[in-house]
Amino acid sequence: MNENQIRLLGVLIKERQNVATQVQELLTRYGCSIKTRLGMHEATDDRCAPHGLIILELTGASEDMLKLESELNALPGVDAKNITFDL
């Protein structure tokens, strides 16, 4: 890992009920690379949106970030994109 970088992975899940389990399995497998995880979806007393957004702050090897991104993008209805900031 480059100490002078912040690496984020944004994950849009379009049909949470269909792929949530598969997404969670991947996040668990790469758990040691995930420093921070923030999940967001619209929820009210009578409605829960079918889509959601996860923001991950990653640590470890850059190759692991790219592999996680690729594996997430292989799931139907999932769109993952990485952002790297140089400090």
Side-chain angles (χ1 to χ4, degrees), residues 11-46:
V11 185
L12 176 64
I13 304 169
K14 297 175 186 169
E15 296 292 331
R16 290 183 313 109
Q17 24 331 18
N18 296 335
V19 294
T21 302
Q22 294 164 290
V23 169
Q24 183 58 46
E25 287 173 2
L26 280 174
L27 297 181
T28 298
R29 188 170 347 131
Y30 287 90
C32 290
S33 297
I34 299 172
K35 186 174 181 179
T36 307
R37 174 179 171 174
L38 173 65
M40 300 174 279
H41 73 278
E42 183 180 335
T44 63
D45 288 341
D46 60 347

